[in-house]
Amino acid sequence: MLKPQITMIGGGMIAHDQILPSLYQLQRQGAIGEITVCAQHAKTLQALRDNAMIHQRAFPGHSFRAVPDPAVDASAKDSLAYRKVIAAMPPRQIVIVAIPDQLHHEVIMTALRHDQHVIAVKPLVLTIAHALEIEREARSRNLFVGVEYHKRFDDRSLLARRRYREGMFGEFKLGTARLMEKWYYRHSNFQNWFTPENSDAFTYIGCHYVDFVHFVTGLIPTAVSVYGIKDKFPNGNEGYLWTDARVLWNNGACLNVQNTLSFPDEAPGSNTQGITLYFSDGERGAWLDHSDQYRGIKYCYTRRLNTDGGTTFHEPSTEYFQYIDLGGPGLSCTGYGFRSVDQLVRAAIRVESAGVGERAALLKEIDDAEVIATPSNSSYNEAVMEAGRLSILNGGKLAVIEAGDPPRVRLE
Ligand SMILES: NC(=O)c1ccc[n+]([C@@H]2O[C@H](COP(=O)([O-])OP(=O)(O)OC[C@H]3O[C@@H](n4cnc5c(N)ncnc54)[C@H](O)[C@@H]3O)[C@@H](O)[C@H]2O)c1
């Protein structure tokens, strides 16, 4: 079976928390070959290499090739190294894009132009035009592009989707969602890029719940307003660290999404998040309520957990991502964080393993199934990103998404 090389661009939080361990698990299963990680700073890669949970406890014997290599120059910095790394790959391997939101477009296009399949963390890109460009380039080369919306692989999302499509809820009318990350995020690398011109709390994490509502209901967003409150990072940079978004849908429904980097560090668990939706079939109301951060486990340890934001009282989630001991070697990762990476990587492998003449049909099949997010089946997300950015930078005015080919975003 084909074992693609994987190059991940970016070695920050999402690489550490989810993607690299998931890749090691796939490597252990024999599904993928060598892993390269390219980051802007060698010291980022050193920290990733030194991570004892990943490299000693969970995946002893696994390692990645680092560019720039901290063993050669620990202080190296190269923001364009990804170009050389991608250019040196054999064609039709896999590039994973895990860098700040505003840089995705450039790196994805570089990978596609070098004939690489692409997996991008969400949001794919921030404008409709960029998403279309990616879709066209990928299609012309029969390359797979998948967007890592991992909530889609939470069983509760898949169950809600099936029940909605069976007509059990009627039609979505109103909803409210929240995803608040912890305060300590403000001390991370975020303070260097999460500034008003690049991103905001809604763009960063609100997109998950917009995607969820489409994933479950199939409805399309038509207008967005995002009210943002600026706050200061420890380094003095400002960012929209508090956002309240209202997303309207093509049946007139309305979803409210609140996002912040403010959840108290001492609160148990890594964030607070959930969604409540209200529906109607015209005669009866229906209701869905997902508590996505708390799943009934309460631990109080003898000492503080030795992780970023670690607490003594803890409500761990076994859903997103955990390491478990299944008898070795090392530990295994479990949860929808792993399942998502697994599905995306295996989709790219499936496309590449198909005969040259069969790839276009297979890519269309993946698009049409609408389980894996692709540029063509999830472009409403880019429309929401573009409208949301336009709105927040204009004091929360409503930004309308006009249907069309391509859709157009304008302030009302
Ligand atoms: N819930 C989620 O789905 C989720 C969670 C976290 C992050 N993300 C997404 O992942 C992306 C990265 O977020 P993060 O939390 O890992 O951020 P981070 O700030 O922790 O890490 C960013 C990484 O990108 C690297 N980078 C920046 N410019 C680069 C360049 N020119 N070349 C190579 N590497 C470069 C940095 O070195 C760093 O390793 C963002 O798009 C974010 O929205 C998604």
Side-chain angles (χ1 to χ4, degrees):
M1 201 176 95
L2 198 76
K3 274 196 194 186
Q5 285 182 19
I6 308 254
T7 295
M8 175 160 59
I9 313 297
M13 191 174 62
I14 192 78
H16 162 272
D17 289 0
Q18 179 192 343
I19 299 180
L20 183 62
S22 297
L23 292 177
Y24 282 154
Q25 182 137 312
L26 289 172
Q27 203 174 45
R28 183 184 278 162
Q29 292 169 356
I32 62 169
E34 186 188 56
I35 299 168
T36 298
V37 185
C38 169
Q40 196 174 0
H41 296 274
K43 64 175 191 290
T44 306
L45 299 173
Q46 187 62 55
L48 201 53
R49 265 191 181 155
D50 289 344
N51 185 280
M53 177 49 120
I54 298 177
H55 290 106
Q56 289 169 31
R57 298 206 40 215
F59 296 100
H62 291 252
S63 61
F64 61 84
R65 185 172 74 94
V67 182
D69 189 346
V72 174
D73 178 1
S75 63
K77 177 186 177 194
D78 186 350
S79 58
L80 297 178
Y82 71 86
R83 292 188 182 166
K84 283 191 221 136
V85 175
I86 292 173
M89 292 171 73
R92 305 191 72 86
Q93 311 297 303
I94 300 175
V95 171
I96 299 187
V97 178
I99 56 175
D101 305 345
Q102 74 281 7
L103 303 175
H104 291 187
H105 171 252
E106 167 64 27
V107 178
I108 293 170
M109 288 306 295
T110 304
L112 292 175
R113 288 184 186 125
H114 285 91
D115 263 323
Q116 302 300 333
H117 300 286
V118 171
I119 296 169
V121 295
K122 59 81 225 155
L124 176 67
V125 282
L126 301 177
T127 65
I128 297 167
H130 281 170
L132 286 172
E133 193 185 350
I134 289 169
E135 186 187 340
R136 271 195 301 269
E137 190 69 31
R139 181 158 298 155
S140 72
R141 296 167 185 268
N142 281 334
L143 290 168
F144 169 78
V145 178
V147 195
E148 207 275 311
Y149 276 105
H150 44 243
K151 279 196 187 301
R152 290 179 172 219
F153 295 95
D154 185 337
D155 287 346
R156 71 193 63 210
S157 307
L158 290 156
L159 180 60
R161 182 174 191 259
R162 179 162 73 77
R163 293 286 194 219
Y164 188 91
R165 286 160 194 241
E166 288 165 357
M168 296 298 290
F169 289 107
E171 187 183 354
F172 167 54
K173 296 287 185 189
L174 278 184
T176 181
R178 63 167 201 290
L179 205 171
M180 320 298 199
E181 300 287 11
K182 279 197 156 173
W183 188 274
Y184 75 83
Y185 273 41
R186 296 168 183 230
H187 293 269
S188 75
N189 186 42
F190 274 47
Q191 53 190 323
N192 298 319
W193 64 270
F194 199 93
T195 42
E197 71 283 10
N198 290 330
S199 196
D200 54 74
F202 174 68
T203 298
Y204 171 56
I205 33 179
C207 58
H208 272 301
Y209 280 117
V210 174
D211 187 66
F212 172 87
V213 167
H214 169 86
F215 186 64
V216 169
T217 67
L219 294 168
I220 299 290
T222 56
V224 182
S225 65
V226 186
Y227 172 68
I229 304 174
K230 286 183 187 164
D231 209 347
K232 276 212 168 21
F233 283 106
N235 69 356
N237 281 345
E238 280 197 322
Y240 284 115
L241 304 188
W242 314 76
T243 57
D244 185 306
R246 174 188 254 214
V247 181
L248 307 183
W249 300 78
N250 58 344
N251 68 337
C254 175
L255 173 76
N256 153 261
V257 190
Q258 293 192 329
N259 301 108
T260 66
L261 273 61
S262 73
F263 196 50
D265 288 349
E266 288 304 317
S270 47
N271 51 40
T272 180
Q273 54 172 310
I275 187 164
T276 305
L277 301 179
Y278 301 91
F279 314 85
S280 158
D281 67 358
E283 292 177 7
R284 282 175 223 82
W287 167 69
L288 168 162
D289 189 39
H290 286 186
S291 167
D292 288 339
Q293 86 289 336
Y294 171 57
R295 286 146 175 120
I297 302 172
K298 294 178 197 286
Y299 290 163
C300 191
Y301 307 114
T302 54
R303 59 185 181 278
R304 190 172 282 274
L305 264 184
N306 186 22
T307 56
D308 284 339
T311 49
T312 43
F313 178 67
H314 187 209
E315 292 177 354
S317 159
T318 51
E319 307 286 301
Y320 167 53
F321 191 94
Q322 288 291 346
Y323 292 103
I324 50 169
D325 185 354
L326 290 177
L331 303 174
S332 298
C333 31
T334 184
Y336 63 80
F338 169 70
R339 287 200 296 278
S340 171
V341 175
D342 179 56
Q343 290 285 323
L344 290 160
V345 168
R346 289 184 193 276
I349 294 173
R350 216 166 356 118
V351 170
E352 196 47 41
S353 307
V356 173
E358 293 159 16
R359 287 181 186 150
L362 186 48
L363 285 164
K364 182 164 183 324
E365 202 179 288
I366 293 170
D367 281 339
D368 292 348
E370 293 189 347
V371 173
I372 287 174
T374 67
S376 88
N377 73 21
S378 71
S379 60
Y380 55 87
N381 279 320
E382 277 63 55
V384 170
M385 289 299 100
E386 186 171 333
R389 297 255 70 227
L390 184 63
S391 173
I392 198 168
L393 293 171
N394 285 278
K397 284 197 184 129
L398 190 70
V400 175
I401 304 165
E402 286 176 342
D405 192 14
R408 215 173 62 88
V409 166
R410 60 166 175 84
L411 282 180
E412 194 181 50

